[in-house]
Amino acid sequence: MGSYKKLWWTLILTLGITFGVLGWAGVEVYRQAPPIPGQVVTASGQVLMTKDSILDGQTAWQSTGGMQVGSIWGHGAYQAPDWTADWLHRELLAWLDLAAQEEDGVAYDALPAGRKADLRDQLKQEYRANTYDTARDTMVVSERRAKAMEQTASYYKKLYGSDPELKSSRENFAMKEDTLPSAERRELLTQFFFWTAWAASTERPNMAATYTNNWPHEPLIDNVPTAENVVWSIVSVIVLLAGIGLLVWGWSFLHKEEPEPQVPAKDPLAGFSLTASQKALGKYLFIVVALFTVQIMLGGVTAHYTLEGQSFYGIPLSDWFPYSLLRTWHIQAALFWIATGFLAFGLFFVPILNGGKDPKFQKLGVDVLFYALLILVVGSFAGNYLAIAHILPPELNFWFGHQGYEYIDLGRFWQWVKLAGLLIWLGLMLRGVVPALRQKGGDKNLLALLSFSVIAVGLFYGSGLFYGERTHISVMEYWRWWVVHLWVEGFFEVFATTALAFLFSSMGLVSYRGATAAALASASLFMLGGVPGTLHHLYFSGTTTPIMAIGATFSALEVVPLIVLGYEAWENYRLKERAPWMKAVHWPVICFVSVAFWNMLGAGVFGFMINPPISLYFIQGLNTTPVHAHAALFGVYGFLALGFALLVLRYIRPNFSVSHSRMKFGFWMLNGGLALMIFTSLLPIGLFQFHASVSEGLWYARSEEFLQQDFLQTLRWVRTFGDVVFIAGALAWVWEVVRGLFGLGGSQPAAVPAKAHA
């Protein structure tokens, strides 16, 4: 550890404490998950459903695309309703009408205000009361509630089928006809929806809050934010301010400016002869831009589906490629091309670490990994199609088709293939890293941190295998966010930071010591907030107050290191002027500058916008979430992957000359298109929904009545402008990479014109 001992111990203690907290929280999630009753019966003893039938309903929901068609407990897609909130509201209205007819002989709406208040009080008492008997593993509902459940279920059976009465609703929700063809499975689906609504309306034993901490907002039964929600929201803001203050003080008093090293006369990385494995990386870059192109085109179509739910400019596209399928492919393609860019960047460095030569059979390993990637993409996409088209037998859907969970949509078999690919990549990386670590002499600390991040990226995806098809959804959410948040936003962030530090120090642009210290400090900051901050996704997923407290407190700290990203952006931008040969990597560096900006705005500002419990209580599942998702996923990881791809391209095609005018056009169109998408469409729609959620309830903010208003339709049409701008910029960059890979460019690297800057 040498002179970095304090930084290493800080990182080790941070990881030990934070993973201890996350592990304890996992035990709490398992222990406190809302019970799935062995039986749900009426007061007269009629069995309405069982635990097995509820779990069968969960698998039926998964087979439709799950979180790609509406959402459950706020997690999923945004065009169709949140089924939990929607079911709950419909069942409550059905109960009130039944009560009014039985007790007063008129419809509920015809009653005077005082009588309505009396019935609403009865409603609250019945629905918030916990009638689950642990000893008998049985939940009892009243005869009236059973009738309300039956009426509500009838609506969903029609909606998920092809009943012409609800065709317009299916169009508005971007649902295909016969979303779930089997009448038997539609019946089971309604039982799962009922159970999620029951957990959201029923108080935990000896508590005044429901199993989902009173989410969703539903005034009819006083589902309102808990006192703990407000308290921990305020605490999170205080922690954020304190963290920023301490960071500024620490940066001011502890930060040491390292003397800038003497920049080499020539690019040190260009001095290595290309190895066979490095030359083989060209096909990885082609996959990056090919999948990037597919992803943005799919994004344009899925966005249009929010306007014509079953058509694309009049073409009945939903008959073959429904919204749920294209949204699945859109998200999975993004994850695949971004990951491929990261993997290629890592593999490029292996021969450099190994003294300028390939480890034995390295090219074979690179080729095997590439074809495994192709099999993964084609196989998982085909499985998604077969599942949503209901061609796969139901028992094979989870394994080979569609898991139903956003970001981990691919079937479990393909998930294993993906993990195998990551382990192959890990092995290929370690074949260069380990010999370099064993060499005597020299400072190996940055290399050791790079090794740690590589191992974490390779292994932690496996946490997504810790749940099964019939796992309780609260438990599944815990492990799903290990992948979506911890693996992606945590360890990939550390890998990217460390890899860039290693890159710039290897090029002689920054001091090795300064790069090592900065990378170690950044890793500790990322992990301090990022590991326990995983829990901020679980506030309302059937968890208890301690989960909310930990998630709110630590997720506020995730924003703290993003405050200094302006300085990092300036430092990166300044590097391009440090040596004449840096002009050849001008555009990768500009990508990294853009990453810092979107990290601050997308991950920082828009991330914290939805982090405090009181905020997320009202906006979970609204269009404010894709604001954060688009700005952070593409703005940060997308630009990183593109920067890595351009950097690798520069070295494996040393004689290729980019068109700087085209690159500049593409850069500003990508950034401008992303900004237009967010500020002219997604964010305004989300803010209007936010007001509706606060004033009426989540059910209304996600309802057909609200979302189909003319002015919101107009805002969704406006998004087309941002999409077109973004696609134009993307295609400009894609064409440059294709030119380089297939030798369609100039014969010499061109210098950046004096006025061609970002």
Side-chain angles (χ1 to χ4, degrees), residues 55 64 130 152 249 314 322 331 378 381 475-476 592 631 652 725 741:
L55 290 175
T64 65
N130 195 330
T152 308
W249 276 74
I331 293 174
V378 174
F381 276 30
V475 173
M476 179 284 302
F592 304 144
I652 68 172
V725 169
L741 290 175

Side-chain angles (χ1 to χ4, degrees), residues 461-703:
Y461 182 76
S463 56
L465 302 171
F466 290 172
Y467 65 86
E469 182 178 11
R470 296 170 70 84
T471 297
H472 192 294
I473 194 169
S474 295
V475 173
M476 179 284 302
E477 285 285 48
Y478 173 75
W479 291 114
R480 183 172 77 96
W481 288 109
W482 269 60
V483 176
V484 181
H485 178 96
L486 186 55
W487 182 62
V488 174
E489 297 182 48
F491 290 114
F492 262 107
E493 186 90 36
V494 173
F495 170 75
T497 301
T498 309
L500 285 176
F502 188 84
L503 168 70
F504 292 139
S505 63
S506 298
M507 296 171 82
L509 300 170
V510 299
S511 72
Y512 188 91
R513 178 181 175 79
T516 304
L520 281 166
S522 297
S524 295
L525 284 173
F526 289 141
M527 294 294 99
L528 178 62
V531 177
T534 304
L535 301 177
H536 83 260
H537 298 282
L538 304 179
Y539 295 154
F540 313 117
S541 296
T543 57
T544 51
T545 299
I547 303 299
M548 180 185 293
I550 296 168
T553 304
F554 283 93
S555 64
L557 293 175
E558 289 185 84
V559 183
V560 171
L562 306 182
I563 300 302
V564 296
L565 287 179
Y567 179 82
E568 178 186 310
W570 164 247
E571 287 293 294
N572 287 341
Y573 185 80
R574 194 169 61 88
L575 291 178
K576 69 185 184 65
E577 306 295 343
R578 294 216 61 212
W581 49 263
M582 278 294 290
K583 293 175 181 178
V585 292
H586 173 87
W587 290 107
V589 171
I590 293 301
C591 279
F592 304 144
V593 172
S594 193
V595 167
F597 171 78
W598 287 107
N599 225 336
M600 178 276 297
L601 182 62
V605 176
F606 293 146
F608 192 73
M609 175 178 71
I610 62 176
N611 269 7
I614 191 64
S615 175
L616 197 59
Y617 179 85
F618 290 109
I619 64 179
Q620 178 157 290
L622 305 185
N623 276 270
T624 44
T625 303
V627 167
H628 165 59
H630 281 77
L633 185 59
F634 177 78
V636 179
Y637 295 99
F639 268 120
L640 261 175
L642 289 175
F644 288 158
L646 290 172
L647 199 65
V648 173
L649 179 67
R650 179 262 180 275
Y651 290 107
I652 68 172
R653 296 291 188 270
N655 295 323
F656 169 62
S657 173
V658 298
S659 164
H660 289 284
S661 60
R662 193 176 293 121
M663 293 297 290
K664 185 177 180 180
F665 169 83
F667 176 81
W668 286 113
M669 295 291 273
L670 283 170
N671 282 280
L674 183 57
L676 284 172
M677 274 187 249
I678 291 170
F679 291 107
T680 66
S681 184
L682 289 173
L683 185 58
I685 292 172
L687 293 177
F688 279 115
Q689 286 184 295
F690 178 32
H691 182 272
S693 179
V694 173
S695 59
E696 300 288 339
L698 180 70
W699 67 271
Y700 179 64
R702 289 281 296 274
S703 69

Side-chain angles (χ1 to χ4, degrees), residues 313-332:
Y313 293 102
I315 302 170
L317 195 63
S318 185
D319 291 349
W320 309 283
F321 302 105
Y323 172 87
S324 55
L325 176 65
L326 296 192
R327 190 174 188 271
T328 297
W329 285 350
H330 172 62
I331 293 174
Q332 288 302 307

